[in-house]
Amino acid sequence: VTVRLAGSAGHGTSSDSGRVEIQKSGVYGTVCDDNWDTNAAKVICRQLGFADALVAVGKAFFGKGKGPVWLDNVACTGDESRIQDCKHAGWGLHNCGHGEDAGVFCTRTPVNKIQEPAGKKLQMHSPTFLPLCVYTNRQLECTLVLTQVDN
């Protein structure tokens, strides 16, 4: 099983974002967005060599894929090494069309990593950051928002 990110639909995809596609038995297919969440996105991003996920998107945000819908009802804890290790309905078993293809925005920096100010130790509580995303001019722009700091 191989995973890649594909598509654009005018959303400015780069190597760190796109529609999730899985190759099984030599055929690429997609993942349905039913139950698709940040935990599943984290698994995909780490499987692709990124540090973390910023956002999980659905409804074919990066355009409709082709081929089979390989996975549906994906339920990850976020600790799995591979997307196929997450619970799912079974390979090729789905109630989706490509209008429900799942996608991700990955990041090379861990989402909960922060630079400490000089001389001050911060105690961070999970989740440290949450993504705040705005969709304008056919582009998704995200920033990380600090949610809690105790000194």
Side-chain angles (χ1 to χ4, degrees):
V1 173
T2 304
V3 177
R4 71 180 181 189
L5 300 180
S8 72
H11 296 300
T13 56
S14 61
S15 65
D16 59 359
S17 61
R19 178 181 57 250
V20 176
E21 294 189 346
I22 297 174
Q23 184 185 47
K24 180 169 173 36
S25 303
V27 177
Y28 273 101
T30 62
V31 176
C32 182
D33 66 5
D34 293 349
N35 297 331
W36 189 249
D37 63 10
T38 305
N39 285 336
K42 286 175 184 280
V43 173
I44 286 289
C45 291
R46 280 198 318 268
Q47 190 170 351
L48 289 167
F50 295 98
D52 213 337
L54 285 175
V55 180
V57 294
K59 305 231 180 283
F61 184 87
F62 291 103
K64 294 179 181 181
K66 296 181 179 172
V69 176
W70 279 126
L71 295 178
D72 188 11
N73 296 318
V74 175
C76 302
T77 65
D79 295 324
E80 296 88 352
S81 299
R82 307 170 308 160
I83 196 69
Q84 60 263 39
D85 296 333
C86 300
K87 292 180 183 176
H88 55 81
W91 288 101
L93 301 176
H94 65 88
N95 61 353
C96 301
H98 286 297
E100 297 177 77
D101 285 344
V104 297
F105 284 84
C106 300
T107 178
R108 297 186 189 287
T109 306
V111 171
N112 62 354
K113 186 171 178 120
I114 184 172
Q115 294 285 342
E116 294 178 0
K120 194 166 202 176
K121 180 76 173 168
L122 296 179
Q123 182 181 359
M124 308 307 282
H125 294 276
S126 186
T128 305
F129 291 95
L130 291 176
L132 174 64
C133 300
V134 178
Y135 181 67
T136 56
N137 299 325
R138 298 181 59 96
Q139 293 234 341
L140 186 70
E141 294 184 21
C142 296
T143 188
L144 298 177
V145 178
L146 183 63
T147 59
Q148 183 176 358
V149 176
D150 291 340
N151 289 331

